[in-house]
Every structure is written in structure tokens, then in C-alpha cells.
């Protein structure tokens, strides 16, 4: 998360590890004992639920330090991280990483710590927003795209984009979007299938969306 330029790592450099697609690199809330230096590859950051990335905050690509702010601030991981591609990583102990920072001039140390605190605060705010109930966000999206439908005698939404694209707009995983639509259908808040969804109870959707 925090991408900083530090002096060279102590010799010998930590060994390089190759991790496969889908590997969970860190769990939100876990204590930080090592900081990952991702040399190559892409990593998805966000909040996981039921074993998959339910709320995606972004994608970062190596080389970068993965959420170094948490290690500098002695705080647990703020986000989950999953390898989107194969990644080459080095595991650097927090003590070694902090020692490298402490070897910098005092002004540089202060700047890095200020950046770490700011980055951590922004990440926590982003997690809070993304963790908002997915049902509510989907209900709000459906209402925003609803149009009168004479055939259904009410409102409907035409899905003109792929579900994956809509899910990205909502900041959730495609699997989460499909699951939310299934829940809304079970609660009779949407009807139909395919590319056109009926909205038989707009008022209930408004209450769910909080609008």
C-alpha cells in the first residue's frame, strides 16, 4: 500500500518466493509480523467475505511494499490482499523494515510516518465505505436506472452492461452482485430474468437503499 524508496535492504537480501494466482497474501485484522515487498505481479486489495473478495478497493502492481504503513505504525492489516497474477515477493521482518526507516535522516523519517498515518486513515475510510451493505448499494443502483415499463405495469431496469461491469461500478465482486440479485429476487423486490429486471415494490427498494 505505502510505496516508499528506502535504502538497500541488508545483505543478504531476503529470498524471493513465487506465489500463485489466488494466494491470500494478508488478512485484514491480522497482526503484521512481516512486510511483503512485491517485486513483480498484481495484487487485489479489499475486504473478503466467504472466501472471496467481496469489496474491491483497488489493484496494485509490483514493485511495491504491501501495506507498509501498518508495519510502521504497529497496527494490524487494514485490508485483505489476494494475488491476481503470479507474484514474486520478499518477506521482510518488521524489525528490519523499521530499522531501515530509522536509518534515514530525521526529516525523512517524520515525512514517512506522516504519510503512513495519512494513508492508513484513508484506507480505513475506504474500507468503511466499501463495507456498506451491498444490498443497499444494489437497491440504490436499481432505482437510479429504473424506467417506466408499460408491459410490466411498473418500473424495470434493463441491464445494458455486463454484470461484471456493474459490479465494478458498485465496488463489489461479480459473485457478490449475483448473490445480491438472488436475495432481492427471493424477497420479491425484483422479478424477471435475463437483461430486464422488474421492480414490483419500488418503495421497499427505497427503504432498503435508505433514500
Amino acid at each position: 500500500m505505502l510505496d516508499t524508496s528506502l535504502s538497500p535492504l541488508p545483505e543478504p537480501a531476503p529470498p524471493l518466493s513465487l506465489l500463485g494466482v489466488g494466494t491470500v497474501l494478508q488478512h485484514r485484522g491480522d497482526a503484521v509480523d512481516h512486510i511483503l515487498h512485491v517485486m513483480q505481479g498484481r495484487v487485489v486489495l479489499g475486504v473478503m467475505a466467504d472466501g472471496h473478495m467481496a469489496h474491491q478497493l483497488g489493484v496494485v502492481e509490483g514493485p511495491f511494499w504491501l501495506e507498509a504503513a501498518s508495519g510502521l505504525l504497529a497496527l494490524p492489516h487494514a485490508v485483505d490482499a489476494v494475488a491476481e497474477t503470479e507474484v514474486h515477493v520478499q518477506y521482510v521482518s518488521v524489525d528490519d523494515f523499521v530499522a531501515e526507516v530509522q536509518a534515514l535522516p530525521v526529516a525523512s523519517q517524520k515525512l514517512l510516518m506522516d504519510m503512513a498515518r495519512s494513508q492508513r486513515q484513508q484506507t480505513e475510510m475506504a474500507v468503511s465505505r466499501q463495507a456498506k451493505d451491498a444490498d443497499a448499494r444494489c437497491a440504490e443502483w436499481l432505482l437510479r436506472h429504473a424506467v417506466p415499463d408499460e408491459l410490466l405495469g411498473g418500473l424495470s431496469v434493463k441491464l445494458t452492461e455486463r454484470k461484471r461491469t456493474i459490479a465494478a461500478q458498485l465496488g463489489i465482486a461479480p459473485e457478490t452482485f449475483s448473490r445480491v440479485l438472488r436475495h432481492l429476487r427471493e424477497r420479491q423486490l425484483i422479478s424477471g430474468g435475463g437483461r430486464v429486471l422488474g421492480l414490483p415494490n419500488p418503495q421497499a427498494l427505497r427503504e432498503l437503499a435508505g433514500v
Side-chain angles (χ1 to χ4, degrees):
M1 295 284 288
L2 180 63
D3 190 2
T4 60
S5 297
L6 303 178
S7 55
L9 295 170
E11 295 293 342
L16 204 62
S17 298
L18 175 63
L19 303 178
V21 176
T23 301
V24 179
L25 304 180
Q26 66 183 37
H27 289 281
R28 186 167 67 102
D30 282 359
V32 180
D33 53 1
H34 287 81
I35 298 175
L36 267 66
H37 188 204
V38 180
M39 305 292 291
Q40 185 177 349
R42 291 194 307 275
V43 176
V44 177
L45 306 175
V47 179
M48 297 183 68
D50 300 326
H52 72 276
M53 190 64 74
H55 306 290
Q56 182 172 317
L57 295 176
V59 178
V60 288
E61 188 163 356
F64 67 92
W65 292 97
L66 182 57
E67 214 190 7
S70 296
L72 285 175
L73 300 173
L75 294 173
H77 290 301
V79 295
D80 296 307
V82 179
E84 186 178 57
T85 66
E86 285 190 342
V87 292
H88 293 80
V89 303
Q90 290 175 316
Y91 291 87
V92 181
S93 74
V94 172
D95 289 344
D96 286 346
F97 188 87
V98 171
E100 287 294 313
V101 172
Q102 292 176 342
L104 296 172
V106 173
S108 297
Q109 292 183 48
K110 185 178 185 302
L111 175 61
L112 280 177
M113 294 304 294
D114 287 346
M115 291 174 62
R117 282 187 285 268
S118 176
Q119 187 271 342
R120 175 72 183 207
Q121 183 179 32
Q122 292 174 6
T123 300
E124 289 177 346
M125 290 176 61
V127 169
S128 177
R129 287 195 302 268
Q130 288 296 331
K132 178 185 176 183
D133 187 79
D135 287 15
R137 278 186 280 149
C138 289
E140 183 178 4
W141 185 90
L142 289 168
L143 289 167
R144 192 165 62 245
H145 292 82
V147 296
D149 191 315
E150 295 182 1
L151 184 62
L152 294 176
L155 299 176
S156 69
V157 174
K158 185 175 182 180
L159 304 180
T160 58
E161 299 174 296
R162 298 177 59 188
K163 289 184 178 180
R164 179 176 296 275
T165 302
I166 298 172
Q169 295 172 11
L170 294 171
I172 59 179
E175 297 85 354
T176 302
F177 182 57
S178 296
R179 187 169 63 251
V180 168
L181 291 181
R182 185 170 64 253
H183 290 169
L184 295 178
R185 185 172 285 106
E186 291 170 353
R187 297 167 61 181
Q188 299 182 343
L189 297 182
I190 63 174
S191 62
R195 307 296 292 183
V196 179
L197 302 176
L199 307 184
N201 194 340
Q203 182 56 37
L205 275 179
R206 293 188 187 97
E207 293 174 0
L208 177 60
V211 298

